Amino acid sequence: MESPSRPPIAAIILAAGKGTRMKSDLHKVLHPIAGRPMLLHLAASVAALDPARTVVVTGAGRDQVEAAVSPLDIATALQAEQLGTGHAVAQAEAALAGFDGDVLILYGDVPLVSTATMQAMLDRLNAPDAPVAVVLGFRPADAGAYGRIIAEDGVIAKMVEFKDATPAERAVDLCNSGLMAVRSADLFALLARVGNDNAAGEYYLPDIVMLAAADGRRSAVIETGATEVAGVNSRGELATVEASWQQQRRAQAMADGATLIAPETVWFAHDTAIGRDVVIEPNVVFGPGVTVGDGALLHAFSHIEGAEIGAKAEVGPFARLRPGAVMGEKSKIGNFVEMKKAVLGAGAKASHLTYLGDAEVGAGANIGAGTITCNYDGFFKYKTIIGEGAFIGSNSALVAPVTIGAGAIVGAGSVITADVEADALALVRPQQVSKPGWAKRFRDAMTAKKAGK
């Protein structure tokens, strides 16, 4: 997204807070939204800008944060003492040594900031009037204890923390999100001049704007909605941000051509991919790693994770697809069917009460109710292969490793422990014995015994 004529981009993500209000052993920024840690939501939005460098400033729980970002091209810096946002940003200076360009300052617990908003901040920074800094402002319904921005025509006259604001300043509803874009040439030089003569005794990042103003240089503010810059400091705020993300994703799914019967009951993961003309009934939950082909029908109360659902396939109700489940075109799994690491071929069906684990089911095969692929012996997993057009009778147990040939029929109630050749009939059950009149004689005898005769 970066224009060749634009300066390179770096991002500093602050994640040093202790997050005590979360009351958790998990670092605050690693709590998930839509199945993905908050920090990684933000990192993905940053990555879309193709930054030259990204630095996460850590503190308490640094090992967890470092482990989360280690697979990514992200450096870390340590803020050993919590001395304010300005102090936190300053800890990234060494990691950005030699970098000359634009720096985005972001927060790991403000995860929903979009790439487009980040780009808008950078665009404003590189506008002809060349502001020293660009601050992202917002107007919440309740300004509360947020820092205030006093501005005219988008130019900042003053930024002040709530603790230090006058009553008149607190009456202003333009609030500071904390997010900022600054040129690297200005950032650390200004931070070196920031003092801590304030009510909290901390080094405030917004003070760089006022220091620049004292030098006769101005800074700008652009605005976004309060939802985009919502922070997460508690479980309740986590739930609120999750709900906001889900609401946006549901709207996007419907705008892209999916039907959600009861949108508020459908829960998506961060990477759920939904095709056109998909119908999703109430109370369907998606875990990470799901793709759904065009025209698929997902019935109510199904849970889907790590699965690929083909075009015009049908799932549920009350079905569970676990990681590695692959459904071919027009295939079907019905109520109380579970799939794990299994492939269901085109047009194949398992309509109810079935477990398919470590299995490969050929096109057009029919799996009867109560069928189980016995894939685990307590130590190892084994595979079941069911050929095209095979018919597995109800209440059958297929003890893997085993292969059922194409077109074969397995009689209901069978326990299959050996391969079945194509087009064969396999029956594994004792011959039925009928004794005429036995049931009546039994009842008569029991009735007499009960009567004491």
Side-chain angles (χ1 to χ4, degrees):
M1 297 182 63
E2 183 183 319
S3 169
S5 62
R6 292 289 182 87
I9 299 166
I12 299 172
I13 301 175
L14 303 186
K18 294 180 179 179
T20 53
R21 288 169 57 193
M22 296 295 285
K23 295 181 171 60
S24 176
D25 293 333
L26 182 67
H27 195 287
K28 177 173 69 171
V29 301
L30 300 183
H31 281 264
I33 293 170
R36 174 195 251 175
M38 285 190 282
L39 177 61
L40 300 191
H41 273 279
L42 189 62
S45 297
V46 170
L49 294 169
D50 192 23
R53 301 188 199 179
T54 301
V55 183
V56 175
V57 179
T58 65
R62 61 181 295 193
D63 292 346
Q64 292 184 16
V65 175
E66 289 172 355
V69 302
S70 62
L72 309 174
D73 186 20
I74 292 178
T76 60
L78 176 65
Q79 184 188 25
E81 294 183 86
Q82 308 295 296
L83 299 178
T85 53
H87 179 261
V89 173
Q91 308 315 301
E93 184 172 7
L96 293 183
F99 174 79
D100 184 15
D102 298 338
V103 180
L104 283 167
I105 301 169
L106 309 166
Y107 293 78
D109 58 1
V110 182
L112 301 188
V113 183
S114 68
T115 303
T117 294
M118 296 178 195
Q119 185 64 62
M121 295 169 67
L122 296 168
D123 289 344
R124 182 66 185 90
L125 187 67
N126 288 281
D129 62 337
V132 172
V134 175
V135 178
L136 186 62
F138 68 108
R139 300 179 189 270
D142 179 6
Y146 289 109
R148 302 301 203 265
I149 302 174
I150 316 301
E152 184 175 351
D153 296 327
V155 176
I156 298 174
K158 185 177 182 181
M159 293 180 65
V160 58
E161 295 293 326
F162 179 83
K163 295 175 184 178
D164 303 306
T166 66
E169 290 166 344
R170 291 180 179 182
V172 173
D173 67 349
L174 181 58
C175 295
N176 176 21
S177 70
L179 280 69
M180 193 178 292
V182 193
R183 293 178 188 81
S184 59
D186 295 318
L187 176 60
F188 297 109
L190 288 169
L191 282 174
R193 296 165 55 191
V194 172
N196 66 343
D197 184 16
N198 52 61
E202 294 185 348
Y203 298 88
Y204 291 145
L205 176 64
D207 284 359
I208 68 173
V209 172
M210 303 318 301
L211 288 169
D215 295 339
R217 305 172 67 195
R218 64 182 187 172
S219 298
V221 59
I222 66 171
E223 295 186 37
T224 189
T227 297
E228 189 174 9
V229 291
V232 176
N233 295 290
S234 67
R235 307 280 184 157
E237 290 175 351
L238 180 68
T240 298
V241 172
E242 175 80 41
S244 174
W245 189 96
Q246 292 293 341
Q247 185 178 22
Q248 293 178 22
R249 182 64 183 88
R250 293 165 189 147
Q252 186 63 54
M254 291 185 286
D256 290 341
T259 294
L260 276 60
I261 303 299
E264 69 279 4
T265 70
V266 176
W267 292 82
F268 290 108
H270 65 95
D271 58 353
T272 307
I274 305 292
R276 295 181 61 181
D277 294 316
V278 171
V279 175
I280 305 176
E281 292 184 354
N283 298 294
V284 174
V285 177
F286 295 90
V290 177
T291 61
V292 182
D294 293 347
L297 172 58
L298 309 183
H299 289 291
F301 295 98
S302 294
H303 189 283
I304 306 165
E305 180 179 4
E308 180 182 339
I309 300 171
K312 299 183 179 179
E314 185 175 351
V315 177
F318 295 97
R320 186 181 182 198
L321 298 182
R322 293 167 58 193
V326 178
M327 295 182 62
E329 183 177 0
K330 296 183 179 178
S331 62
K332 176 184 177 181
I333 65 164
N335 50 290
F336 305 106
V337 174
E338 179 178 351
M339 286 181 66
K340 186 275 297 182
K341 201 176 178 182
V343 178
L344 195 64
K349 297 179 180 180
S351 295
H352 30 226
L353 302 163
T354 291
Y355 172 67
L356 298 173
D358 296 280
E360 182 179 319
V361 181
N366 188 88
I367 312 299
T371 295
I372 298 172
T373 56
C374 306
N375 59 326
Y376 184 49
D377 65 0
F379 295 93
F380 301 102
K381 298 288 182 73
Y382 301 94
K383 189 173 184 178
T384 297
I385 299 175
I386 300 171
E388 293 186 5
F391 183 95
I392 311 300
S394 297
N395 203 35
S396 294
L398 309 180
V399 183
V402 70
T403 297
I404 311 299
I409 295 176
V410 173
S414 295
V415 178
I416 302 297
T417 59
D419 292 351
V420 178
E421 65 185 27
D423 295 319
L425 169 64
L427 289 170
V428 186
R429 60 190 182 206
Q431 184 175 356
Q432 182 170 315
V433 176
S434 182
K435 297 182 178 182
W438 187 93
K440 185 178 185 304
R441 292 194 297 272
F442 174 76
R443 286 193 299 272
D444 290 345
M446 292 301 103
T447 299
K449 183 176 182 179
K450 188 174 182 180
K453 294 181 180 179

